[in-house]
């Protein structure tokens, strides 16, 4: 998914009523930009999976002809899956005047506007900004960034890595759940999920200034390479002296890493990476802690490893995983 697209997975979940609150907000904002998109999504919802009676050969041929005749930049081919082609044909039949541009997922916002980029469960993506700064977005995350504006600012919910093109005259600023991170020439990772107790900033190279918007007089904390800082409920920016920077950037290489984390936090992260809801037979189990790194993780392998390391059992029923009593 590029910065100009709503991915198939997110759109499918939105139509099926299974999208997260964040995904719904992103799709609804995308729909508000142009009314013809609402007709397209309505067709997806009305026709649904497996319905064949509405797709006529004439509609299909007419729509394909228009798409094939369009310039390459007019419509992202990868976004047009067979299901989307079919639903688009239904809209074409219904309104008659629907053209290729009416189905475009690409958006060119006005100068000084913003763009949104979001991921769902198990999804990661990246975007390179106009100044060369690269943002890599983690699972179930959302970033809004300015376009064509003098100020270089982004707002993050979730996890992201920033490789910033430094500009002393135009600081790069990340806003995340009350924390404010200002680039001083660096690359760094920010973790700011709504369920987390603090915003975490881990610096890979260079330096950042970590402050807060909660209190005007709160002092900013300057972090250097290999350091981790946090802004918690108190609103203070504090250094995490024993934290491992690599844990917070492991997801960039497709790894799951936990450093003395309670099983409840591990469960939340598994829910972001996989379509799964992890539960516990008792509160005591949720408080058990684990340190581990899983390379290119597979859900079953991770669950087996956790159970073995903690000496517990688990069961699976559809999307629900329940950790139970200590194994015999």
């Amino acid at each position: 998914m590029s910065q100009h697209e709503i991915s198939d997975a997110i759109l499918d979940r939105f139509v099926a009523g299974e999208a997260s609150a964040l995904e719904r907000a992103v799709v609804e904002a995308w729909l508000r930009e142009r009314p013809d998109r609402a007709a397209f999504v309505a067709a997806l919802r009305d026709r649904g999976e497996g319905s064949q009676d509405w797709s006529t050969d004439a509609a299909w041929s007419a729509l394909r002809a228009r798409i094939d005749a369009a310039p390459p930049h007019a419509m992202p081919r990868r976004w047009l899956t067979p299901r989307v082609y079919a639903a688009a044909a239904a809209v074409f039949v219904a309104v008659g005047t629907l053209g290729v541009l009416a189905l475009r997922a690409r958006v060119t916002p006005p100068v000084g506007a913003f763009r949104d980029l979001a991921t769902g469960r198990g999804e990661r993506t990246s975007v390179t900004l106009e100044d060369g700064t690269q943002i890599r977005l983690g699972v179930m995350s959302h970033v809004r960034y300015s376009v064509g504006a003098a100020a270089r600012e982004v707002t993050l919910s979730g996890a992201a890595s920033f490789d910033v093109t430094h500009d002393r005259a135009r600081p790069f600023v990340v806003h995340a759940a009350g924390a404010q991170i200002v680039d001083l020439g660096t690359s760094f990772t920010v973790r700011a999920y709504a369920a987390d107790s603090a915003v975490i900033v881990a610096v890979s190279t260079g330096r950042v200034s970590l402050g807060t918007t909660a209190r005007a007089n709160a002092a900013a904390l300057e972090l250097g390479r290999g350091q981790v800082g946090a802004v918690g409920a108190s609103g203070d920016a504090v250094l995490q002296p024993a934290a491992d920077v690599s844990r917070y950037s492991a997801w960039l290489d497709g790894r799951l890493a936990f450093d003395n984390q309670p099983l409840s936090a591990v469960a939340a992260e598994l829910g972001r990476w996989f379509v799964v809801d992890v539960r516990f037979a008792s509160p005591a189990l949720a408080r058990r802690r684990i340190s581990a790194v899983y390379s290119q993780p597979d859900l079953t392998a991770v669950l087996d490893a956790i159970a073995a390391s903690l000496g517990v059992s688990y069961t699976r029923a559809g999307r629900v995983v329940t950790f139970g009593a200590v194994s015999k």
Side-chain angles (χ1 to χ4, degrees):
M1 183 177 64
S2 80
Q3 69 269 34
H4 307 299
E5 300 174 21
I6 296 294
S7 74
D8 294 343
I10 290 178
L11 193 59
D12 282 346
R13 286 193 291 273
F14 179 82
V15 171
E18 299 176 351
S20 67
L22 173 60
E23 291 170 343
R24 288 197 304 273
V26 171
V27 175
E28 287 166 358
W30 179 75
L31 290 174
R32 285 194 296 271
E33 289 172 351
R34 287 175 44 177
D36 52 0
R37 290 177 179 159
F40 172 62
V41 172
L44 283 175
R45 182 178 287 111
D46 292 344
R47 307 304 176 178
E49 293 281 4
S51 177
Q52 304 295 329
D53 57 345
W54 55 273
S55 180
T56 67
D57 291 339
W60 182 276
S61 299
L63 182 65
R64 286 300 297 269
R66 285 199 180 193
I67 292 170
D68 292 340
H73 67 275
M75 203 168 190
R77 302 294 177 124
R78 182 171 56 83
W79 185 76
L80 292 171
T81 62
R83 181 188 174 196
V84 174
Y85 265 122
V91 178
F92 181 82
V93 171
V95 302
T97 59
L98 182 64
V100 171
L101 293 180
L103 296 178
R104 286 177 61 188
R106 299 184 182 272
V107 180
T108 303
V111 174
F114 294 88
R115 284 183 178 149
D116 292 275
L117 183 64
T119 56
R121 289 194 184 195
E123 295 178 337
R124 290 175 290 157
T125 190
S126 64
V127 58
T128 300
L129 306 186
E130 295 167 309
D131 65 357
T133 294
Q134 185 182 48
I135 303 175
R136 297 172 69 181
L137 199 61
V139 297
M140 292 190 71
S141 300
H142 169 236
V143 67
R144 167 168 285 192
Y145 55 95
S146 55
V147 178
R152 301 187 301 161
E153 300 193 33
V154 305
T155 301
L156 171 70
S157 173
S161 173
F162 300 87
D163 191 352
V164 178
T165 299
H166 185 57
D167 184 340
R168 185 184 297 272
R170 297 191 305 150
F172 188 88
V173 182
V174 180
H175 302 279
Q180 179 171 286
I181 304 100
V182 181
D183 156 61
L184 302 178
T186 187
S187 58
F188 57 95
T189 300
V190 180
R191 180 185 172 96
Y193 286 106
D196 291 348
S197 60
V199 176
I200 303 294
V201 179
V203 181
S204 300
T205 63
R207 306 188 72 79
V208 302
S209 172
L210 174 60
T212 176
T213 59
R215 298 203 318 272
N217 62 346
L221 174 68
E222 190 167 306
L223 299 171
R225 177 180 179 179
Q227 291 186 312
V228 177
V231 175
S234 68
D236 293 320
V238 296
L239 182 67
Q240 305 288 294
D244 181 2
V245 170
S246 65
R247 173 200 153 198
Y248 296 99
S249 59
W251 61 267
L252 294 170
D253 300 319
R255 294 178 294 127
L256 267 173
F258 304 107
D259 181 16
N260 194 33
Q261 293 297 107
L263 203 50
S264 57
V266 174
E269 195 69 4
L270 293 180
R272 297 182 186 111
W273 280 66
F274 308 102
V275 184
V276 65
D277 178 15
V278 180
R279 302 174 184 178
F280 304 96
S282 71
L285 274 175
R287 293 192 294 269
R288 298 282 297 275
R289 291 182 173 270
I290 189 169
S291 295
V293 177
Y294 305 102
S295 299
Q296 303 301 322
D298 168 79
L299 177 59
T300 299
V302 171
L303 293 174
D304 287 345
I306 291 173
S309 64
L310 295 181
V312 300
S313 62
Y314 74 89
T315 59
R316 292 179 65 176
R319 297 182 179 181
V320 178
V321 174
T322 303
F323 281 97
V326 176
S327 302
K328 299 297 184 182

